[in-house]
Amino acid sequence: MSSPLRIHRQAGVTLLEIDNPPVNAASAALLRQLREALAQAAADAACQAVVLYAAGRSFVCGADIAELQGPAAQPRVDLFNPVMDALESLPKPVVCAMHGMALGGGLELALACHYRVAHPDSQVGLPEVQLGILPGAGGTQRLPRLVGARHALEMISSGKRVGAQAALDMGLLDRLSADPPRAAGLAYALDLLREGAGPRPTCLRQVDSGGLDAAALRQARADAEARPQYPARLAIVQCIEAALTQPFRAGLAEERRLFEQCRLSHTSQALRHLFFAQRQAAKLPGLPADTPLRPIRKIGVIGAGTMGRGIVTNFLGAGIPSVLLETRQEALDKGVEHIRRTYDGQVAKGRLSDERVRAALDCLRPSLDPADLADCDLVIEAVFEDMQIKQDVCRMLGVRCKPGAILASNTSTLDIDVLAQASGRPADFVGMHFFSPANIMRLLEVVRGRETAPDVLATVMRLSKTIGKTAVVSGVCYGFIGNRMLESYLREADFLLMEGASPRQVDRAIENAGLAMGPCRMLDMAGTDVAARIVIEQEKNGLRPDDPAYRAVVGRLLETGRLGQKAGKGYYRYEGRQAVDDPEVQALCEELARRHGIARRDRIADQEIVERCLYPLINEGARILEEGIAYRPGDVDVVWTHGYGFPDYLGGPIFMADHVIGLPVVRDRLTHYADVKGNAQGYWTLSPLLERCAAQGTTLSDTHTNRT
Ligand code: T1G
């Protein structure tokens, strides 16, 4: 294992080069070596100044997040401040030369140095809040001393990166240099020595409020207290208040106390879990990271409807020439017009520049001629969700597309293997399930067919990063990962309505549990007809439970034209976008209860709603792991937090089951509902994996189901 720190000497300057790939994380080993190197520099009479810089593509991108977990985490974090003290108290000028990114503990190292130079293209930030913690190495006390309390509060609370020029303007940096970091740092150090400039400890500076007055602090505190699920937000305000009102050491002590409190919070453990889970999801077990990828220079999307035009927009934004194919000019024109309008809206909101839009639209090639697909490297079909129609399209693609082109389907429920066979090129075939609106939602389920070639999977996974998607691989099953788990959640929501709960109560209970939107409101937005037709497709494919009451409410909504928000009524009645309780829906549910012999109750506890909707969802997730449909528990959590509004502070359904609720509770409650409601349809049958983990006291996250 090579050392993460190299020491050079040149022109009386000690050059400390950090080299800890891939992101120069400030590991415990690096911190120990830094401390030793600084002690040597302090004692070295030949050393007149010190420069701290890094090799590779970036300066230090923070503490090693993996080291924040477990019993030895606190001692490791406690390694930071002695290094900061050693930098700041060195009796010789210390220069930090940054390039790429300086984040978290990396920027805190720079703040503890006496002078700071950075490449004009570099970015700096303190993103700890995104991990549910706060800068724990003096950042909350030093940054206000350099840039003022207002800028510091904004930077730390948002976790956002700041460009080099802005950092220079606010006083965080002292100079910019386009030289490589070692040269930039050395030049600056020699300039300082020539000028006779000595050490300049940040801790000795006074904190300027920067316009952050008492009212603004009160507001910041109130905003933080409004989101108790993210305790780091309030802790950050408290740290800034300490910087404004207490001596440096006292402020540092307050920071350390609050850092530890946040690090141990469920929220931070959940967010750190998701940080790694999202990156793990991009890894395909058994597939070497250097698998050669198929070049993707031009793509095609078939279908200019809602999904097709959303999908193609992702590729336009990445500058990839894209054919948008339709069968009718009117449909094609409508699709293109919608794409233009979407871009116009983003320009109006200042999210995109005119030139970015022009560049994107220059990549768009509307077409009615399938021959235009001939030189595409990837073609995605997004036609009507009907097996026959999709098979015909896949058959055409198998003939029209050049050898080696990847063929993909955006289907959300149909069997990828059947479509792959229809194309005649199953090795080239893969599922790419985008989530509506496809140009906004980050999640992409990449469905691995029985014969999908490894390089096809690897290519699509890499391409997903290019178009800004978080991709998760799913095996072939009904509904893949997300919609398969969603099915039991929606099933119970409908049953609860027939048993006497209102849409408002169901939604409020689920939203109070943390989901962004309850099931009724969600289906009204997506269109109850979409959900009802999926049930009809299930029936066609023999997948619908033999239970006449199954999803009876959404079926009735379709029959009565209550298609959701777009029709002005669904589970709710709509006054504009305002969802209003509708007595007609209650009457409809009462009538269905009578028809299906379902006993209604005057009162249904919110806890029952949460358990009946979320625990079967968790149980289905355990089955998905057991069957190898998902490679890892974290993959399931990424699907739900990135595609279904599951709260990230709960880490996803599997993390929540393992670490918040506890598997024995999930098991016992599922068993309870099987007892009180009967289990003729198998709705409450426990996943053997969940049952086994609950019995053994292990977690689903302990299982690492790798399927090659
Ligand atoms: N610790 C450990 N591993 C890290 C890491 C980190 N800080 N950052 C990245 N990695 C791994 C990542 O898991 C992946 O591993 C590989 O590096 C490439 O990452 C005291 C306590 C820097 C913008 O929050 O935002 O400092 O999958 O795929 O897209 O106050 O990584 O290859 O095995 O994301 O080019 C604060 C987190 C920490 C920054 C680069 N710092 N990192 O993005 O690469 S807390 C952060 C990022 C802290 C102090 C506190 C991004 C990036 P693998 P990647 P990328």
Side-chain angles (χ1 to χ4, degrees):
M1 174 83 173
S2 63
S3 162
L5 183 68
R6 283 192 286 272
I7 301 171
H8 312 279
R9 289 178 184 78
Q10 186 176 346
V13 176
T14 295
L15 301 154
L16 303 179
E17 181 187 21
I18 293 169
D19 189 5
N20 193 22
V23 295
N24 285 322
S27 62
L30 171 63
L31 292 169
R32 288 193 188 96
Q33 292 190 30
L34 263 176
R35 195 168 174 194
E36 285 163 25
L38 289 165
Q40 288 168 15
D44 178 358
C47 165
Q48 299 171 60
V50 170
V51 172
L52 180 65
Y53 70 103
R57 58 184 179 144
S58 208
F59 188 64
V60 177
C61 288
D64 184 330
I65 300 170
E67 294 188 350
L68 298 177
Q69 195 58 32
Q74 185 47 56
R76 283 197 287 256
V77 172
D78 282 346
L79 290 170
F80 267 100
N81 280 330
V83 172
M84 305 302 175
D85 290 345
L87 285 166
E88 200 159 51
S89 60
L90 207 77
K92 307 167 183 181
V94 181
V95 171
C96 184
M98 291 164 272
H99 70 297
M101 281 177 273
L103 303 175
L107 180 57
E108 290 176 291
L109 283 168
L111 298 176
C113 293
H114 301 140
Y115 301 91
R116 284 156 291 279
V117 57
H119 188 282
D121 295 341
S122 53
Q123 294 183 318
V124 298
L126 293 171
E128 286 87 342
V129 69
Q130 292 162 9
L131 297 169
I133 48 179
L134 50 86
T140 67
Q141 304 305 305
R142 289 191 175 90
L143 187 62
R145 283 171 167 77
L146 288 172
V147 306
R150 184 170 62 81
H151 279 315
L153 180 60
E154 280 166 4
M155 271 186 74
I156 300 171
S157 297
S158 69
K160 288 201 176 91
R161 294 179 213 152
V162 168
Q165 186 57 55
L168 180 74
D169 297 344
M170 67 171 74
L172 201 163
L173 298 176
D174 299 297
R175 67 161 67 173
L176 303 183
S177 166
D179 289 340
R182 172 173 170 155
L186 180 60
Y188 193 11
L190 294 175
D191 287 351
L192 289 164
L193 292 172
R194 266 193 294 278
E195 294 158 11
R200 191 179 63 170
T202 306
C203 63
L204 298 182
R205 296 179 181 221
Q206 293 310 305
V207 179
D208 178 288
S209 71
L212 185 70
D213 59 19
L217 261 178
R218 276 196 305 275
Q219 186 56 53
R221 179 179 274 270
D223 293 346
E225 286 166 344
R227 302 182 72 188
Q229 309 90 332
Y230 298 96
R233 296 179 180 283
L234 177 59
I236 287 165
V237 175
Q238 291 171 292
C239 283
I240 298 299
E241 286 170 340
L244 280 165
T245 58
Q246 299 184 38
F248 179 75
R249 288 288 157 195
L252 216 52
E254 179 71 343
E255 177 194 271
R256 182 183 181 286
R257 178 182 73 82
L258 291 166
F259 174 85
E260 187 56 12
Q261 181 182 295
C262 293
R263 184 182 71 82
L264 295 172
S265 68
H266 268 310
T267 294
S268 184
Q269 293 178 57
L271 292 174
R272 301 196 311 260
H273 156 70
L274 287 173
F275 174 87
F276 288 116
Q278 188 182 333
R279 288 157 177 81
Q280 283 300 315
K283 296 187 175 78
L284 310 179
L287 194 66
D290 58 357
T291 300
L293 307 182
R294 296 189 189 185
I296 303 292
R297 301 182 191 86
K298 180 179 177 185
I299 69 114
V301 173
I302 302 181
T306 305
M307 288 307 290
R309 56 193 182 223
I311 291 169
V312 79
T313 303
N314 294 302
F315 294 92
L316 302 179
I320 299 174
S322 307
V323 172
L324 180 60
L325 185 73
E326 255 294 349
T327 52
R328 291 178 300 109
Q329 187 65 53
E330 180 199 354
L332 185 60
D333 293 346
K334 189 179 168 199
V336 172
E337 179 49 30
H338 195 280
I339 291 170
R340 288 183 188 286
R341 274 207 314 273
T342 301
Y343 276 132
D344 291 346
Q346 293 189 333
V347 170
K349 290 173 189 162
R351 288 186 188 150
L352 275 182
S353 62
D354 286 323
E355 50 273 7
R356 281 290 303 276
V357 169
R358 261 196 306 279
L361 290 174
D362 285 349
C363 290
L364 179 61
R365 289 165 175 68
S367 168
L368 298 173
D369 182 357
D372 289 340
L373 300 174
D375 61 345
C376 289
D377 302 299
L378 161 70
V379 179
I380 305 167
E381 69 80 17
V383 299
F384 192 69
E385 190 76 356
D386 173 279
M387 180 57 95
Q388 193 52 58
I389 296 174
K390 285 188 181 296
Q391 283 179 299
D392 294 344
V393 166
C394 293
R395 197 169 294 113
M396 178 271 287
L397 291 179
V399 173
R400 289 275 184 184
C401 295
K402 67 183 181 183
I406 295 174
L407 314 180
S409 168
N410 173 55
T411 182
S412 55
T413 59
L414 302 178
D415 188 327
I416 285 292
D417 287 329
V418 171
L419 297 176
Q421 290 307 319
S423 75
R425 305 164 48 170
D428 294 336
F429 204 92
V430 69
M432 292 179 75
H433 176 214
F434 290 82
F435 285 71
S436 185
N439 56 316
I440 304 289
M441 293 301 283
R442 287 183 58 200
L443 179 66
L444 172 64
E445 279 183 322
V446 175
V447 187
R448 175 193 71 227
R450 195 175 35 249
E451 298 180 56
T452 301
D455 68 325
V456 166
L457 265 187
T459 301
V460 170
M461 292 302 284
R462 184 69 197 83
L463 179 66
S464 62
K465 199 165 180 178
T466 305
I467 61 173
K469 296 300 180 189
T470 297
V472 177
V473 173
S474 170
V476 175
C477 68
Y478 179 75
F480 314 134
I481 296 172
N483 285 345
R484 175 169 158 183
M485 294 168 69
L486 181 70
E487 182 277 329
S488 55
Y489 167 85
L490 296 177
R491 175 195 76 213
E492 286 307 305
D494 264 13
F495 277 132
L496 285 157
L497 296 177
M498 287 186 273
E499 293 174 34
S502 69
R504 178 84 55 193
Q505 184 193 359
V506 170
D507 284 348
R508 187 170 291 148
I510 294 298
E511 286 156 18
N512 288 341
L515 271 79
M517 190 178 284
C520 303
R521 193 78 183 79
M522 179 185 79
L523 290 187
D524 271 358
M525 279 192 70
T528 58
D529 50 333
V530 174
R533 286 203 181 95
I534 285 174
V535 179
I536 293 165
E537 275 292 311
Q538 278 180 301
E539 184 142 31
K540 265 199 241 170
N541 299 319
L543 294 167
R544 187 187 189 283
D546 180 19
D547 175 354
Y550 173 82
R551 306 287 297 280
V553 177
V554 77
R556 194 89 186 92
L557 294 177
L558 174 63
E559 289 163 7
T560 53
R562 299 182 71 99
L563 307 185
Q565 194 166 313
K566 63 188 174 188
K569 55 184 181 179
Y571 284 94
Y572 297 90
R573 181 169 53 79
Y574 287 86
E575 290 168 4
R577 301 172 71 88
Q578 181 67 30
V580 177
D581 298 342
D582 187 341
E584 283 185 25
V585 172
Q586 177 164 341
L588 179 155
C589 292
E590 286 168 355
E591 183 255 331
L592 287 170
R594 274 194 302 278
R595 180 187 307 179
H596 296 296
I598 292 174
R600 286 176 69 82
R601 287 175 279 161
D602 292 337
R603 183 170 146 45
I604 295 177
D606 285 358
Q607 182 60 23
E608 176 179 346
I609 293 172
V610 172
E611 292 175 352
R612 284 180 53 184
C613 288
L614 293 184
Y615 292 13
L617 180 153
I618 291 165
N619 194 45
E620 201 58 40
R623 286 206 186 95
I624 283 169
L625 288 168
E626 223 161 12
E627 296 166 18
I629 293 294
Y631 288 133
R632 292 158 286 251
D635 290 5
V636 178
D637 288 336
V638 170
V639 164
W640 275 84
T641 51
H642 285 68
Y644 291 82
F646 199 94
D648 58 0
Y649 65 84
L650 291 176
I654 304 297
F655 186 90
M656 178 182 74
D658 281 342
H659 302 290
V660 182
I661 303 169
L663 291 185
V665 172
V666 176
R667 172 200 59 200
D668 296 347
R669 297 308 292 162
L670 289 170
T671 304
H672 164 74
Y673 291 113
D675 293 344
V676 300
K677 302 187 66 56
N679 193 27
Q681 301 294 341
Y683 293 155
W684 307 103
T685 303
L686 281 173
S687 133
L689 173 64
L690 188 146
E691 190 162 26
R692 195 165 57 248
C693 289
Q696 294 166 354
T698 57
T699 63
L700 293 169
S701 306
D702 292 334
T703 63
H704 200 80
T705 47
N706 270 348
R707 225 175 79 153
T708 52

